[in-house]
Amino acid sequence: MAATATGHGRFVLRLGAAAVLIMPAAALAIDGQIVDADGKPVDQAMVTLGSAQLALGASTYTVFSDADGRYALPAKATGERVAVHKLGYAPVTLAPAQAAKVTLTKSDNIAAQAPPSAWLPRTGADDLARANTILQCTSCHQFPSQKVRHYSEMLDGKTEAEKQAAWKAMINYMRVKFVQIGPDQSLYDPAKMDLKGVFDPTQGSFDAHDEEQISAFLAKHLPTGFDTLKAYDYGAPLGVTAKTVMREIQLPQDAFVREVGLTPDSPYLWGADLQHNRLLRVDLATGEQKPYPIPYAGPTGPHTIVDTPDGHFWVTMLEQGVVGRFDPKTEQWQLFDKFGKYEMAHDIAPDYKFQAMPDPKGRYWFTLIGSNRMASLNPVTGEVGYIDTPRDEGESPMHSSLYGAVITRDGKRVWFSQLSGGIGAINTETDKLDVYLPMPQGAGPRRMAIDDQDVLYVPMFGTGEVLIYDSKTDKELGRVMTPDPNNASYSAVWDPWRKVVWLGTSNADVIYKFKPADRSFEVFPLPSAMGYLRMITFDRRNGNLWTAYSNIPTGAGPSRFVMVDPGDGVTVGTAQ
């Protein structure tokens, strides 16, 4: 088990799945100043305190310098290494005793600092192929990852035709790897599957045009050398201040904790560990962790965890058609296996507060990614209902990928998104499709937000846009390009206190803050490389953001919960 500083001064961990918590060393008071080679202050520099041997449950803390270059880490922060980083400067790693004054020198080569998105063209004649590449490849891992870069380097000197053939072979290999992503004891064991079905575009997650578009795009546009990068910028101002604090809590490296759940009724963090068919309880004060296996025979693959106003959690599961309601106070489950064995319940529809809410008939709504159907469940009666959503003729349900969902404030409409389709709404009074808006190929509408006025914010994973749509008037209000079109925004969540939208990215190691009032963005850089995000949620006691690094395959990147206190002094408890 070891921790090393990467080329951009952030920690990369190699950690086994320890079953005990190693307590941190005594807290240190660390503050200082960041200056450049001329002695001038460097503002918004990232300062992270961590340990050389970061144990299970241990935390790192990150702060940022002010206009005078000064920073101060929280008194509770512990560690033996201080890493200082700012894009465009050579990173520095040193002992806490040396951190009173740190000098950063500018660097004209930021290859080791830039995120994977920097290696893809931002615009060009192949925008459709670029979008489809991001949609299909970055859905599972950052792209180009280190392994992808190494593969591309081996193609240096090859003709474009030879490169395309090589990328086609890699795509076919990744199709097989895709079906291996699942929990322990998964029903989707590739050793027991007919691989013809994996490659059949009418059955699988890939379509015929995917292979041609992606391989041609990579052959033409992906570099074969990654040692030098002269220019990359975040595309929008940083939103961090000297009051911004980020905290990372180390999780088991062999776990696949997709998402984090919090409720004011529980003092703990709760993570959905898809890999090991369990919830993982984490003590905020100590980092101590306790597993809670799902009490169901066989694999469940818990995926999405969303709290409710009464302090419970709904948890969707990708195997055996199971969903569950969990009471963190009594630690009791109510499980429902009413959906079909291969339906794959992906999302439950939350409201503008990002809480799971029923419709006027008492039903909760789920997206079934395995069959391209919306499903309703009445937890009192156990009654379920299904509604098919549109897809192209001959397209497989898995390629359509019915994905995210939200519910309007009055509960009379449930909106859904399809990763390779469009967005639409189910009328919960008639149980019929009310609206459907097809999206261009490669757009990739993912997990959307809905605000307190029923306006939708839909991140387009492939094209890098945010669709803004008034669901009351059924009118599109605009499409806004995110700061980096290759960022692969996976999720949007409405912040009912700040009246902004937070976007979790998969490919740019940042969180975006989008302000609808003037349609501007701010960027919050993450402390760790490979910051592959899924959903963002809130601590409803203080308004802090929480998310998780969710790299695929398990163990391929940092496995941590991440807290972001923007430092804006927001007052919670007033959202209506």
Side-chain angles (χ1 to χ4, degrees):
M1 177 174 69
T4 59
T6 69
H8 37 51
R10 292 180 279 178
F11 295 112
V12 176
L13 302 178
R14 299 291 180 263
L15 184 68
V20 297
L21 171 72
I22 300 176
M23 295 302 294
L28 302 170
I30 300 176
D31 56 50
Q33 186 181 30
I34 315 298
V35 298
D36 64 16
D38 296 324
K40 296 179 179 179
V42 178
D43 69 335
Q44 295 181 312
M46 177 187 292
V47 183
T48 299
L49 177 64
S51 298
Q53 301 291 328
L54 195 60
L56 181 70
S59 291
T60 67
Y61 284 88
T62 296
V63 295
F64 297 83
S65 57
D66 64 14
D68 295 322
R70 299 194 177 279
Y71 73 92
L73 283 151
K76 57 188 172 183
T78 62
E80 298 84 40
R81 292 186 180 185
V82 176
V84 183
H85 167 266
K86 185 172 183 178
L87 188 66
Y89 292 82
V92 174
T93 303
L94 36 79
Q98 302 170 311
K101 193 161 189 176
V102 181
T103 300
L104 294 181
T105 57
K106 289 190 176 182
S107 174
D108 61 358
N109 181 9
I110 58 172
Q113 302 178 50
S117 61
W119 299 106
L120 299 175
R122 290 195 174 188
T123 58
D126 294 329
D127 276 352
L128 176 59
R130 177 177 63 87
N132 208 40
T133 300
I134 295 170
L135 177 60
Q136 295 293 350
C137 299
T138 311
S139 281
C140 285
H141 53 81
Q142 289 195 328
F143 191 87
S145 65
Q146 287 287 354
K147 290 182 178 180
V148 171
R149 294 180 216 178
H150 179 64
Y151 185 79
S152 189
E153 287 171 339
M154 293 191 296
L155 302 180
D156 188 39
K158 302 293 185 182
T159 67
E160 192 169 315
E162 290 172 326
K163 291 179 184 177
Q164 184 169 1
W167 285 115
K168 282 185 178 181
M170 178 56 70
I171 290 169
N172 284 325
Y173 170 72
M174 294 310 296
R175 285 181 176 179
V176 177
K177 297 297 290 183
F178 174 77
V179 297
Q180 292 179 313
I181 298 170
D184 298 341
Q185 306 171 22
S186 174
L187 302 178
Y188 303 93
D189 183 351
K192 302 175 183 177
M193 296 176 67
D194 179 6
L195 287 183
K196 290 182 179 179
V198 174
F199 295 104
D200 185 347
T202 66
Q203 297 184 41
S205 300
F206 298 88
D207 208 340
H209 64 257
D210 296 335
E211 180 179 314
E212 289 299 323
Q213 283 187 344
I214 295 171
S215 61
F217 174 81
L218 296 178
K220 184 176 181 179
H221 294 291
L222 192 65
T224 54
F226 300 90
D227 294 331
T228 303
L229 185 66
K230 297 295 184 182
Y232 174 81
D233 64 79
Y234 288 119
L238 296 186
V240 296
T241 71
K243 295 183 179 180
T244 302
V245 179
M246 299 184 183
R247 178 187 179 189
E248 299 171 302
I249 302 176
Q250 182 64 37
L251 302 172
Q253 192 64 19
D254 71 336
F256 183 21
V257 180
R258 292 279 301 185
E259 298 179 13
V260 56
L262 299 91
T263 170
D265 288 25
S266 171
Y268 303 110
L269 301 171
W270 296 86
D273 181 0
L274 188 150
Q275 186 66 51
H276 297 309
N277 303 302
R278 65 187 184 183
L279 295 186
L280 194 63
R281 193 190 77 182
V282 179
D283 190 312
L284 263 170
T286 66
E288 183 180 6
Q289 299 174 19
K290 181 179 179 180
Y292 285 76
I294 308 295
Y296 193 84
T300 52
H303 181 277
T304 299
I305 179 168
V306 182
D307 71 316
T308 61
D310 63 358
H312 293 179
F313 291 113
W314 276 98
V315 182
T316 68
M317 309 182 203
L318 291 182
E319 303 235 6
Q320 303 199 80
V322 184
V323 298
R325 188 162 56 179
F326 179 72
D327 184 341
K329 296 187 293 294
T330 64
E331 300 181 351
Q332 297 297 308
W333 280 94
Q334 184 181 14
L335 294 177
F336 305 87
D337 57 0
K338 301 289 187 178
F339 305 142
K341 190 174 184 180
Y342 297 100
E343 291 283 2
M344 302 177 67
H346 188 275
D347 243 25
I348 185 171
D351 67 357
Y352 72 97
K353 295 181 182 179
F354 195 64
Q355 292 183 308
M357 292 294 288
D359 68 15
K361 299 176 183 177
R363 302 173 300 176
Y364 292 85
W365 287 81
F366 302 83
T367 57
L368 303 182
I369 198 171
S371 64
N372 194 49
R373 296 194 295 178
M374 291 293 294
S376 62
L377 167 66
N378 187 319
V380 176
T381 65
E383 182 182 2
V384 299
Y386 302 98
I387 299 174
D388 290 321
T389 63
R391 59 187 167 101
D392 292 339
E393 184 177 354
E395 183 183 42
S396 74
M398 282 298 295
H399 187 266
S400 179
S401 291
L402 185 60
Y403 217 80
V406 291
I407 191 166
T408 57
R409 190 160 180 165
D410 62 8
K412 294 181 179 180
R413 266 186 174 181
V414 175
W415 285 87
F416 62 84
S417 62
Q418 296 167 314
L419 200 55
S420 294
I423 65 171
I426 302 297
N427 185 315
T428 62
E429 295 180 307
T430 64
D431 286 358
K432 293 182 179 179
L433 183 70
D434 216 10
V435 179
Y436 186 71
L437 305 170
M439 293 294 151
Q441 184 189 120
R446 213 126 197 187
R447 294 171 79 174
M448 69 190 93
I450 190 166
D451 72 12
D452 49 10
Q453 301 300 312
D454 285 342
V455 174
L456 301 175
Y457 302 88
V458 187
M460 300 297 187
F461 192 83
T463 60
E465 301 167 296
V466 177
L467 168 67
I468 307 172
Y469 185 88
D470 188 334
S471 71
K472 288 183 177 178
T473 63
D474 284 325
K475 181 180 179 181
E476 181 175 324
L477 302 180
R479 301 192 188 196
V480 182
M481 182 59 70
T482 52
D484 177 350
N486 302 323
N487 76 84
S489 290
Y490 175 91
S491 62
V493 61
W494 171 251
D495 187 328
W497 305 289
R498 299 175 180 90
K499 307 298 182 182
V500 301
V501 178
W502 297 96
L503 299 170
T505 74
S506 298
N507 212 37
D509 294 341
V510 299
I511 292 173
Y512 291 140
K513 176 183 177 182
F514 175 65
K515 295 181 280 189
D518 61 6
R519 298 193 177 182
S520 66
F521 289 90
E522 291 179 353
V523 178
F524 286 70
L526 294 167
S528 294
M530 295 184 71
Y532 192 81
L533 301 187
R534 286 322 193 207
M535 284 307 301
I536 296 171
T537 189
F538 303 103
D539 187 332
R540 303 183 193 282
R541 294 163 292 199
N542 53 34
N544 291 345
L545 282 62
W546 281 93
T547 185
Y549 299 138
S550 304
N551 293 276
I552 304 174
T554 301
S559 178
R560 303 174 202 162
F561 284 148
V562 189
M563 181 275 289
V564 178
D565 176 356
D568 51 12
V570 66
T571 300
V572 303
T574 58
Q576 299 297 318

